[in-house]
Amino acid sequence: MKDALFGLVLALQFLTRIPLPVACPWTPATRRWAIRAYPLVGLLIGSVLVLNALLLNFIGAPTPITTLLLLSLWVALSGGLHLDGVMDLADALGSNQPLERRWEIMKDAQIGSFGILALLFLMAWKGVLLWALLAYQAPLWWLLAVPALGRFAGVALLVLTPCAHSKGLAWSWQQSLSPRDVGYALLPLLLLVVVFPGLIAWGLVILVWVAFARKALLRLFNGINGDMVGATIEGGELWLLVLMWSWWQFATVSPPGI
């Protein structure tokens, strides 16, 4: 039980900017429990977003203002941790360089033009899709589920995909993990399915994203690193938002325009 609690605190310290002045032991057991807690941290982030969405709706805030505040809060809670991975990956892919050079670009601390463009378009698409879903008055469980499923995607990729190099944070995490940790990470989401059965379909959608990302990264980089796990989380969230918007736009009664 102590290892599980330390693991949860490690996950919160790593994935969020929530101040937790607790010194946690860095052991294989705490690392395993930290990875298992990723979707739980996502649920916490989603809960904060839902509560703020309800509050802003209660006070009658305009939808564009609500959207910008929620997007800002979403980024602030995570400290933009995964956005760095998106930018590094975009710079590497946009370079059209051989494999070794792409890895050098990934490690470069400076952000290039492709990284900046990727960040701008990612935030723009997330913001517009948030705006659309809020304007459609879609049930807010989607805002709870997206951060959790996105972080589950990161867990699945990290556990099931070999690292390209035997060093780095992702590799050190992997030494303590096994496929059963993916199952443990699913447990909080399975509990949520009891309340929101539709989450099963979106869970399958995120597995498709993980399979695609895994295949592409193995082909392009011969393995993964921590930046790619972060990029997979951000990409998974965007993938879910696109498909959720598509569902409410085309598969349900025509919603009002924005």
Side-chain angles (χ1 to χ4, degrees):
M1 179 61 73
K2 185 182 292 186
D3 286 335
L5 291 174
F6 278 134
L8 176 59
V9 173
L10 275 175
L12 285 167
Q13 290 174 333
F14 186 68
L15 294 176
T16 74
R17 298 299 296 168
I18 298 173
L20 291 172
V22 178
C24 296
W26 181 254
T27 66
T30 57
R31 289 197 293 271
R32 279 194 298 272
W33 281 106
I35 289 297
R36 296 168 183 176
Y38 268 38
L40 193 58
V41 174
L43 286 175
L44 174 62
I45 293 172
S47 299
V48 174
L49 294 176
V50 168
L51 289 173
N52 279 272
L54 291 171
L55 175 61
L56 290 166
N57 180 67
F58 177 74
I59 65 175
T63 302
I65 299 297
T66 299
T67 299
L68 186 56
L69 286 172
L70 289 178
L71 185 60
S72 301
L73 182 60
W74 202 335
V75 174
L77 283 170
S78 67
L81 172 67
H82 311 307
L83 297 176
D84 180 66
V86 172
M87 291 186 287
D88 287 342
L89 184 59
D91 279 334
L93 291 175
S95 69
N96 290 322
Q97 295 295 314
L99 178 60
E100 289 304 316
R101 178 57 184 149
R102 290 202 298 272
W103 276 111
E104 291 175 5
I105 293 171
M106 287 277 290
K107 297 173 184 175
D108 192 339
Q110 296 188 358
I111 303 300
S113 57
F114 288 106
I116 293 171
L117 287 171
L119 176 65
L120 289 175
F121 279 104
L122 175 67
M123 290 292 97
W125 272 105
K126 264 192 163 182
V128 169
L129 291 165
L130 273 172
W131 186 353
L133 287 165
L134 291 170
Y136 295 172
Q137 297 181 346
L140 284 177
W141 65 260
W142 63 268
L143 194 53
L144 182 68
V146 168
L149 288 170
R151 278 146 191 81
F152 173 75
V155 171
L157 183 80
L158 178 62
V159 174
L160 302 176
T161 312
C163 283
H165 304 107
S166 299
K167 59 182 179 181
L169 186 59
W171 180 82
S172 68
W173 283 91
Q174 277 190 345
Q175 304 318 296
S176 309
L177 303 176
S178 67
R180 70 176 181 175
D181 293 308
V182 179
Y184 277 109
L186 264 178
L187 290 178
L189 299 175
L190 292 177
L191 294 175
L192 196 61
V193 166
V194 176
V195 183
F196 306 113
L199 191 62
I200 295 175
W202 298 113
L204 295 175
V205 164
I206 204 66
L207 289 176
V208 172
W209 166 252
V210 172
F212 168 79
R214 183 181 189 278
K215 183 176 181 180
L217 293 171
L218 285 174
R219 180 173 63 85
L220 293 168
F221 292 94
N222 294 334
I224 62 168
N225 68 354
D227 282 336
M228 295 174 189
V229 174
T232 299
I233 291 173
E234 287 290 343
E237 290 181 343
L238 183 61
W239 167 250
L240 287 168
L241 288 172
V242 168
L243 292 182
M244 286 177 175
W245 168 79
S246 301
W247 171 259
W248 270 287
Q249 174 70 28
F250 301 112
T252 62
V253 178
S254 296
I258 298 176

